Amino acid sequence: MGILVTGCAGFIGSHTTERLLADGHEVRGVDAFTDYYDPGLKRANLAGVLDHPCFELVEGDLASLDPVALLDGVERVLHLAGQPGVRASWADGFAAYVERNVEVTQRLLEAAREVGVERFAAASSSSVYGDAATFPTPETTLPRPVSPYGVTKLAAEHLCTLYGTNFGVPTVSLRYFTVYGPRQRTDMAIRRMIDAALRGTTFPLYGDGSASRSFTYVADVVEANLAALFADGVPPGSVCNVANDDTATVAELVELVERTTGCPLAVERLPAEAGDARRTGGSTELARRLLGWAPSTALADGVAAQVAWAREQLPAGG
């Protein structure tokens, strides 16, 4: 089965691409290798699949590539590409978020409508909720983003829902809650904590450490992606949380990383930054019912796996 994976070289995209290929699917991957973080790391993410006979890499910007041509021979789409990160989405950075999160999604949806794909699964974010009033937060909660990033992810999600309800494009949006694991982006907290602990450098902690998150292991997210692509009976325009049922504060995470690495973690305390939600925690009831998906990896186990991977990335003698 032909599947288009956008953002295939990213953290989640590379793991999902590997799994799809292992399951016998043909994958056309698209990635622009933007410089939000080191493009060389993203190229390394794909090292294991570049020579796979069922994998085709299209290197280019979805803002300019022909989306209909990309969908030639494709039956299902997993749209993971986008501009990540909260802090860079303010001020002049906002334009890139609008283009890469909103405009690109609309172009792909138009092409999916024209071609008639069997499923269009897209990555959304827990950032759409902002500071939710209810935990665990169900999908029926009114979204109130507290960052420009969250605004663009919500806009893209609304586009998926609109194309689903108005034109029958079989869309499903997945609201990811703080994904972590091997290959995690270098700007994300767990990656930075582990790297700082192993290398003896300092971790910048924004706020007092009481902010809490639902941390979702990447292998569980891959399973959710596959469920979103292949589950039967998913109504067009659906939206599902992809979360871990357990949450942890940043301070608790620091302690867990110290225990797991066996290394002290030096922390530089900095003021909280605009756009960071105080707490996230998603209900997974709908994903269980609609997609047949549930998380299975405990935070301690996932952090241990990420630490083991991070040790392998250290230079010899490091």
Side-chain angles (χ1 to χ4, degrees):
M1 177 176 293
I3 299 172
L4 177 71
V5 179
T6 71
C8 66
F11 166 40
I12 299 171
S14 60
H15 281 284
T16 309
T17 295
E18 287 178 346
R19 173 60 185 277
L20 288 167
L21 291 168
D23 286 354
H25 299 289
E26 295 182 355
V27 177
R28 177 175 296 142
V30 183
D31 209 290
F33 296 95
T34 60
D35 60 359
Y36 180 79
Y37 66 100
D38 184 0
L41 296 176
K42 288 178 271 192
R43 294 188 185 279
N45 288 344
L46 289 180
V49 301
L50 286 176
D51 294 331
H52 196 290
C54 293
F55 179 67
E56 174 192 359
L57 175 63
V58 178
E59 186 172 341
D61 192 335
L62 288 166
S64 56
L65 290 170
D66 180 353
V68 173
L70 286 175
L71 292 177
D72 182 36
V74 166
E75 298 168 356
R76 296 171 192 257
V77 176
L78 180 61
H79 179 38
L80 303 177
Q83 185 72 4
V86 167
R87 296 185 180 99
S89 65
W90 299 94
D92 293 343
F94 185 59
Y97 286 79
V98 172
E99 179 182 73
R100 295 172 182 172
N101 294 347
V102 183
E103 294 175 0
V104 159
T105 300
Q106 189 270 343
R107 295 183 81 235
L108 284 172
L109 285 165
E110 278 291 335
R113 175 189 176 193
E114 178 178 336
V115 171
V117 298
E118 296 179 10
R119 183 67 52 81
F120 188 104
S124 186
S125 169
S126 61
S127 293
V128 304
Y129 290 117
D131 288 312
T134 304
F135 297 93
T137 309
E139 293 82 352
T140 52
T141 299
L142 179 65
R144 294 183 183 274
V146 293
S147 68
Y149 165 74
V151 169
T152 62
K153 293 303 288 186
L154 181 59
E157 184 183 294
H158 280 327
L159 285 169
C160 290
T161 301
L162 289 170
Y163 276 79
T165 55
N166 285 279
F167 305 118
V169 178
T171 65
V172 55
S173 298
L174 301 177
R175 291 176 175 168
Y176 297 149
F177 281 69
T178 314
V179 186
Y180 73 102
R183 301 183 199 154
Q184 188 183 35
R185 292 199 327 261
T186 54
D187 63 307
M188 299 186 75
I190 293 182
R191 174 74 179 266
R192 297 172 77 181
M193 285 184 191
I194 292 172
D195 287 351
L198 294 178
R199 290 171 169 80
T201 57
T202 301
F203 171 73
L205 192 159
Y206 295 93
D208 61 6
S210 64
S212 67
R213 297 286 183 269
S214 169
F215 294 98
T216 315
Y217 190 60
V218 66
D220 290 338
V221 174
V222 170
E223 294 297 331
N225 290 342
L226 267 63
L229 284 172
F230 299 114
D232 294 328
V234 180
S238 295
V239 178
C240 291
N241 290 335
V242 175
N244 193 307
D245 296 327
D246 297 325
T247 61
T249 66
V250 177
E252 290 169 340
L253 190 60
V254 168
E255 294 176 359
L256 176 59
V257 168
E258 288 184 321
R259 289 198 306 272
T260 308
T261 61
C263 304
L265 177 57
V267 172
E268 178 186 8
R269 295 191 176 274
L270 299 169
E273 292 206 327
D276 281 338
R278 292 289 304 164
R279 180 182 178 187
T280 70
S283 167
T284 57
E285 180 180 344
L286 181 61
R288 293 169 192 266
R289 176 166 52 84
L290 198 60
L291 304 179
W293 175 86
S296 62
T297 307
L299 179 60
D301 294 335
V303 168
Q306 185 167 344
V307 167
W309 173 83
R311 289 189 189 279
E312 295 174 356
Q313 312 310 305
L314 291 172

